[in-house]
Amino acid sequence: MIPAKFDYERADSVDEALELLGRDDAKLLAGGHSLLPLMKLRLAQPALLVDIGRIEELAYVRDAGEQLAIGALTRHHDVANDPLVQEHCPILSHAAGLIGDPQVRHRGTIGGSVAHGDPASDLPTVLLVLDAEFAVRGPGGETTVPAAEFFRGLFETALGPQDILTEIRIPKLGAWKGWSYQKFNRRAQDWATVGVAAVLRRDNGTIEEACVALTNMGLTPLRAKAVEEALAGSSADDAAAAAEKADDATSPPSDTNASADYRRELARVLTRRALEEALSR
Ligand code: FAD
């Protein structure tokens, strides 16, 4: 389909984008790989598109001491291939490399993926499991929102209509050496039917702390709290039993890809696989 009529402005800086966003019914355009399909289906009909896709100051990966700082306009391909991300946050580079196909990864941005708030997206789950923070600039200045408070509902986030997500800050994994992201999809370029992200801190055979999060098991990316509680202080041998709790407190959708029950089963199986892989690293 053809999108409804809209105006187009290109912003060359964050300040300019903020000013343009002040206009009625304006929407940011980053990589366009989620927004443009919605516009073609007429599920989104903004009056003005503010193109931030060429703002150089928002595309970077920086070492920020205990954290990595990633600009919101960093493309999936660059997240997947950046040496700093590969060294300090390999679960993120791995997951970014699983998104869509090369075309999608060369256009889509980490900020667009987070701001879009699609529970089937891979990076929000990984950023949730890592306790990332999101830097947001809006009419009232800059705020920082933890991932646990950012995803509010289906395609709904803490971002207001005049806010710009500028930076994603991620704690370096350090002692959290064991990690895995398991994605189940029918075709290589598809979104996850279900995905599971896990990072573990362990001391020999004991799991000291575990963080587990789920893709496409509810209206937002979810922490698998029952699994995390079952694993804390447990032995590696208990991982399979803990994985059986993966679908506790979830409300997976039923759609043409999978029924809710099938997704529940997938969540349990993928969590077991994720824990096994994380424990093997
Ligand atoms: P856009 O489409 O430009 O924007 C998306 C939304 O976010 C819009 O509402 C926009 O206004 C807003 N926005 C963008 N940037 C900002 C910002 N900095 N601050 C505030 N708001 C902002 N994703 C996956 O996770 N896994 C997949 O397997 C996958 N497969 C795909 C396959 C195909 C064929 C396609 C087309 C897409 C796929 N995607 C997948 C989605 C892809 O990752 C998108 O690139 C991403 O979801 C959105 O990023 P974008 O930069 O394209 O955002």
Side-chain angles (χ1 to χ4, degrees):
M1 280 207 9
I2 297 177
K5 197 169 175 301
F6 60 90
D7 289 330
Y8 171 90
E9 297 274 2
R10 205 178 101 195
D12 292 319
S13 67
V14 175
D15 287 337
E16 197 184 342
L18 279 170
E19 200 180 307
L20 289 164
L21 263 188
R23 295 198 197 159
D24 259 2
D25 201 15
K27 211 155 178 48
L28 293 176
L29 176 73
H33 269 57
S34 291
L35 180 57
L36 295 182
L38 285 182
M39 289 173 63
K40 288 182 178 176
L41 292 168
R42 304 220 172 180
L43 294 171
Q45 300 191 20
L48 169 65
L49 277 191
V50 179
D51 187 353
I52 56 171
R54 280 177 260 191
I55 301 183
E56 294 289 325
E57 64 184 287
L58 285 181
Y60 57 84
V61 177
R62 288 186 197 131
D63 191 324
E66 301 284 296
Q67 297 178 314
L68 283 186
I70 303 183
L73 270 179
T74 311
R75 313 273 167 187
H76 302 319
H77 170 85
D78 297 326
V79 172
N81 291 287
D82 186 90
L84 278 175
V85 183
Q86 288 173 342
E87 180 183 351
H88 297 294
C89 220
I91 185 173
L92 182 63
S93 49
H94 172 73
L98 299 177
I99 292 174
D101 52 31
Q103 268 181 315
V104 175
R105 294 196 290 275
H106 276 91
R107 291 299 308 160
T109 65
I110 186 169
S113 183
V114 170
H116 191 51
D118 181 347
S121 288
D122 300 295
L123 299 188
T125 306
V126 172
L127 295 169
L128 181 68
V129 92
L130 292 171
D131 285 326
E133 294 174 339
F134 304 121
V136 178
R137 276 187 62 189
E142 180 170 325
T143 51
T144 305
V145 186
E149 294 168 22
F150 188 84
F151 301 103
R152 304 262 168 101
L154 191 65
F155 301 110
E156 196 189 328
T157 68
L159 292 172
Q162 294 181 35
D163 287 339
I164 301 183
L165 173 63
T166 54
E167 186 174 90
I168 292 101
R169 297 174 190 144
I170 307 161
K172 292 180 181 171
L173 271 187
W176 296 78
K177 295 234 166 58
W179 62 270
S180 177
Y181 183 65
Q182 297 286 323
K183 174 175 179 173
F184 183 91
N185 50 10
R186 295 199 306 165
R187 300 174 307 168
Q189 72 269 38
D190 282 345
W191 277 260
T193 307
V194 173
V196 177
V199 291
L200 302 176
R201 190 171 63 228
R202 61 189 192 280
D203 185 17
N204 294 320
T206 304
I207 298 170
E208 294 182 327
E209 203 178 344
C211 295
V212 179
L214 307 167
T215 304
N216 219 359
M217 286 296 288
L219 298 180
T220 64
L222 298 172
R223 287 290 279 260
K225 291 211 163 66
V227 179
E228 295 179 348
E229 282 162 19
L231 285 173
S234 74
S235 135
D237 298 336
D238 301 327
E244 287 300 306
K245 300 174 187 289
D247 62 320
D248 282 15
T250 64
S251 49
S254 281
D255 55 32
T256 48
N257 286 322
S259 66
D261 281 347
Y262 184 63
R263 282 197 162 89
R264 287 183 182 280
E265 175 66 12
L266 272 179
R268 294 190 288 263
V269 170
L270 295 179
T271 300
R272 179 172 50 73
R273 289 182 191 165
L275 295 175
E276 282 169 4
E277 187 173 55
L279 284 163
S280 73
R281 287 190 204 274

